[in-house]
Each structure stands twice: as C-alpha cells, then as structure tokens.
Amino acid sequence: MKKWFLALAACALALTLAACGGKQGAQVQPANLTKSEQVLVELVEAGGNTKLFDITLPEGAQWLDISAWTLQDGQWQDTSVMGGVPGGRLCLRVDDAGELIYASVGGATSRLDYGDIAPYDHAEGSAWTHSWLEKPASLALDTDTPVYLYLESADGTLEAFGPEAFAEPEKLAGYARVTAVTIRPTSDT
C-alpha cells in the first residue's frame, strides 16, 4: 500500500512540476520529462509500469474522461471511468500483471478497474504483453483515443499490437484477456 501511495505521490509531484509546452493542436503524446521527473518515475516503477502523457484538449472540450475497457465476445465493455478531469499531464500506472490501473490528472487520482473479470492466473505456458501510446495522437471531441493495451494468451502465443488495435477488436479475438485504457475529451459538465 505504501508503494502505491508513494507512486501516486510521485506522479502528483511530476504533474505539479511540469507545465504544458507551447500551444499545439489537440493531441496526446508521451510526456517529455525533465531529468528530475525521469528520476522520480524510475524510483516508483518497481512492481509496475508508469507512463506520463501531455494532453492538449480540442476546442470545445472542458473535461477528459479516462476509461478502462475489457474485450468480451468481440465487443469493448466500458468497465470503469474517471470523468470530469481537466487536461494537462496524465500519469497512468499499472501493476506488472496489467490488472490495477491508477490515473492521476491535475491533482485528481483514481483507481480504474476492469469490473467483474477474474484475475488471470498466469498458468504455465501462458504469456502476456502490454503496450503504451509511443507517439503523438490527435484528439477529437467525444472520441476515445487508446493509450494502453494489455493482452494475455493462455497458450503462450502472442502477436505485438499497439494501443491503436483498440479500433479493430476483431484482430484481438482469441486472446484469454484483452484490456485497454482510453482518454476522451468531452464538453459534458
């Protein structure tokens, strides 16, 4: 519990230390960290993975919704939402099994979960992988943009997919578990 608290505190500190760069088009991109921020992230990464993103909201957007999704029967199921947070810098942290997600934006922190799916037991012969958004992606009002994808295979067979595979769930069929995290700029209050 202390590790998670320290990780979230470090993310919050990184958020307060960083100011958004010059005005750009509406986009999400991996954050350009200062050396101090990078050291801070490395300190808290034991037992998990942390990624920071800089977010420039599109015109008309007032909030950012962060959603956790599970692929079930070929359809994405929205299982958890952290809504009504401002844009700026986003910190996401997942545990090594991709099961616990913590999000921090503008000082607000929340745990996202995947609903009622059972924890994966990582049986012998199984495999898992995950990927993060690695390059800038455009943001559009009321449109989900994937920033994280997690795959588990019961038979040990994996293909490399980036978060953009969220748009083509049929490519992800056949895996024991597929989860994702998206962000959605919204004008809803």
Side-chain angles (χ1 to χ4, degrees), residues 8-32:
L8 293 174
C11 285
L13 180 59
L15 292 169
T16 59
L17 292 175
C20 286
K23 192 69 173 166
Q24 304 170 348
Q27 68 177 13
V28 57
Q29 66 182 9
N32 292 319

Side-chain angles (χ1 to χ4, degrees), residues 71 74 76 131-133 145-151 159-173 175 178-180 182:
L71 189 63
W76 287 109
S131 59
W132 295 96
L133 176 75
T145 300
V147 294
Y148 178 76
L149 182 72
Y150 176 82
L151 300 171
E159 188 175 334
F161 290 101
E164 62 278 356
F166 180 83
E168 301 175 272
E170 64 279 1
K171 286 185 174 181
L172 305 171
Y175 287 99
V178 181
T179 59
T182 64

Side-chain angles (χ1 to χ4, degrees), residues 109-132:
T109 300
S110 182
R111 176 177 177 235
L112 302 172
D113 64 52
Y114 294 115
D116 295 333
I117 62 172
Y120 191 64
D121 63 6
H122 297 287
E124 188 174 328
S126 65
W128 64 271
T129 188
H130 63 190
S131 59
W132 295 96

Side-chain angles (χ1 to χ4, degrees), residues 11-21 31-34 37 52-54 88-90:
C11 285
L13 180 59
L15 292 169
T16 59
L17 292 175
C20 286
N32 292 319
L33 301 178
T34 66
E37 291 169 330
L52 284 90
F53 298 95
D54 288 325
R89 183 155 282 178
L90 166 65

Side-chain angles (χ1 to χ4, degrees), residues 18-176:
C20 286
K23 192 69 173 166
Q24 304 170 348
Q27 68 177 13
V28 57
Q29 66 182 9
N32 292 319
L33 301 178
T34 66
K35 192 171 188 168
S36 297
E37 291 169 330
Q38 185 60 42
V39 167
L40 207 55
V41 169
E42 290 169 4
L43 284 173
V44 299
E45 279 206 318
N49 296 284
T50 304
K51 191 76 168 181
L52 284 90
F53 298 95
D54 288 325
I55 298 171
T56 306
L57 294 175
E59 180 131 356
Q62 298 190 11
W63 305 107
L64 184 68
D65 289 344
I66 304 161
S67 298
W69 300 83
T70 301
L71 189 63
Q72 295 177 347
D73 300 321
Q75 299 292 313
W76 287 109
Q77 304 298 316
D78 192 349
T79 59
S80 183
V81 177
M82 177 182 178
V85 296
R89 183 155 282 178
L90 166 65
C91 178
L92 289 176
R93 178 174 170 77
V94 297
D95 69 6
D96 282 335
E99 293 182 9
L100 297 177
I101 300 172
Y102 291 86
S104 183
V105 181
T109 300
S110 182
R111 176 177 177 235
L112 302 172
D113 64 52
Y114 294 115
D116 295 333
I117 62 172
Y120 191 64
D121 63 6
H122 297 287
E124 188 174 328
S126 65
W128 64 271
T129 188
H130 63 190
S131 59
W132 295 96
L133 176 75
E134 294 295 334
K135 57 186 178 187
S138 296
L139 293 177
L141 193 61
D142 298 320
T143 302
D144 284 294
T145 300
V147 294
Y148 178 76
L149 182 72
Y150 176 82
L151 300 171
E152 292 179 357
S153 169
D155 66 6
T157 306
L158 287 172
E159 188 175 334
F161 290 101
E164 62 278 356
F166 180 83
E168 301 175 272
E170 64 279 1
K171 286 185 174 181
L172 305 171
Y175 287 99

